[in-house]
Amino acid sequence: MSAPVVIDARGHRCPVPSLKLMKAIESAPPGARIVLLATDPMARIDVQFLMSQKGGRVLEIEDADGLLRLTIETDARPDAPTD
C-alpha cells in the first residue's frame, strides 16, 4: 500500500477543509488513504458526512491540541460503468 496523501487545511474554516478533501478524493484511486489536517472543529462532523455521501469511510480521527488528523479511505469499488 502506498503512503497516504496528506491534505493540509490548517487555518481554513468550513467548507474549505471538506472541499480540499473532496478534490483529493475525486483524483484518488479506489481504496486510497487520505489524511486531512484541519484546525476547524467542524471538520470532524463535515468529513464523516462527506464520507457517507461519497462512499468512503473514516478510519481514524486524532485530536491533539486543536489539530485534527482525519484518516479516510476512498471507496474500494471503482465507479460503476455508465451506459
Side-chain angles (χ1 to χ4, degrees):
M1 177 177 286
S2 62
V5 172
V6 177
I7 306 300
D8 189 349
R10 292 177 286 186
H12 293 281
R13 304 293 292 169
C14 178
V16 175
S18 294
L19 293 173
K20 286 183 171 223
L21 179 59
M22 191 164 45
K23 185 176 181 181
I25 290 170
E26 289 170 354
S27 62
R33 289 196 177 183
I34 301 172
V35 174
L36 175 67
L37 303 176
T39 50
D40 182 358
M42 289 302 296
R44 177 187 298 271
I45 297 165
D46 294 343
V47 168
Q48 290 185 39
F49 177 76
L50 181 62
M51 291 299 92
S52 71
Q53 298 299 304
K54 293 288 182 182
R57 62 188 182 122
V58 177
L59 299 175
E60 183 176 21
I61 299 174
E62 298 174 47
D63 187 348
D65 297 324
L67 173 64
L68 290 171
R69 180 183 169 95
L70 300 108
T71 304
I72 66 106
E73 184 175 70
T74 60
D75 194 347
R77 296 169 290 146
D79 290 339
T82 57
D83 291 330

